[in-house]
Amino acid sequence: MQRFAIRHVLGAGLVVLAAGMALPWTLQQFTDLGYPAFAAALAVMGAGAGIATTVASVTLVSAAPAAEVSSAAAIEETCYELGSAMGVAVLGSTAAVLYRGNLPALDLDGPTAAAVRDSVGEAAHTAERLGGSVGQALLDTASQAYTLAITPAFLLAGGLAVVAAATTWSLIPRDLRPTENH
């Protein structure tokens, strides 16, 4: 018999994921973010996502009748991929809108300014091409705008993970345990 109910392990994994997602925004309130902060956040996110997806996958496959296990696994993988793609699209679009909104007026020609507003990658490329203090100022401005954009997108994702955890705890039966049939 397993020690913890599935709903608790799955819910806890989602809460850990949410904490990792909220970490960049939270740290940004107190200090400038750098690579170590994002690395720590990614490690926490990875731990939470690893726990949650493993438990969800094992539960789905073990709950399926033996003749349907491959179909259940295929459905699980499709849902995982679709959810990942939709998450990247929604959160990436949110971050892109916030990035553009956080960029001040740029003293660049029309096409160059449009490229910089299009993505932080284009801003970095343009900054390198411009070089010198102008390029460094552009890179600093774009980096700040990106940081101010990505952290609220992470926070939104964390909120969605909390909703998923609450849904998990409310919908999964207390006594549901994976079986050893598969």
Side-chain angles (χ1 to χ4, degrees):
M1 185 166 126
Q2 291 77 18
R3 178 175 266 182
F4 302 106
I6 289 170
R7 66 191 233 145
H8 296 307
V9 177
L10 182 55
L14 290 167
V15 168
V16 170
L17 173 63
M21 291 286 196
L23 192 57
W25 182 87
T26 304
L27 292 174
Q28 185 181 41
Q29 306 310 305
F30 303 104
T31 187
D32 289 335
L33 291 178
Y35 290 117
F38 275 103
L42 289 172
V44 174
M45 284 181 234
I51 292 166
T53 57
T54 300
V55 171
S57 180
V58 167
T59 302
L60 178 67
V61 170
S62 69
E68 305 285 327
V69 168
S70 59
S71 295
I75 290 169
E76 184 265 337
E77 182 63 23
T78 300
C79 291
Y80 172 79
E81 295 295 332
L82 180 62
S84 295
M86 288 178 63
V88 167
V90 169
L91 297 172
S93 296
T94 300
V97 167
L98 293 172
Y99 167 73
R100 288 182 195 106
N102 285 313
L103 274 176
L106 300 169
D107 189 24
L108 300 168
D109 64 68
T112 304
V116 167
R117 289 197 175 290
D118 192 41
S119 76
V120 70
E122 281 296 322
H125 177 70
T126 301
E128 183 180 341
R129 186 172 43 83
L130 292 173
S133 62
V134 173
Q136 187 60 50
L138 174 60
L139 185 59
D140 292 344
T141 299
S143 295
Q144 179 68 14
Y146 179 77
T147 300
L148 291 172
I150 198 68
T151 56
F154 274 137
L155 188 62
L156 173 62
L160 294 173
V162 168
V163 169
T167 302
T168 295
W169 277 315
S170 67
L171 294 181
I172 294 178
R174 291 179 187 267
D175 60 345
L176 181 65
R177 302 274 196 262
T179 64
E180 295 185 20
N181 296 336
H182 307 296

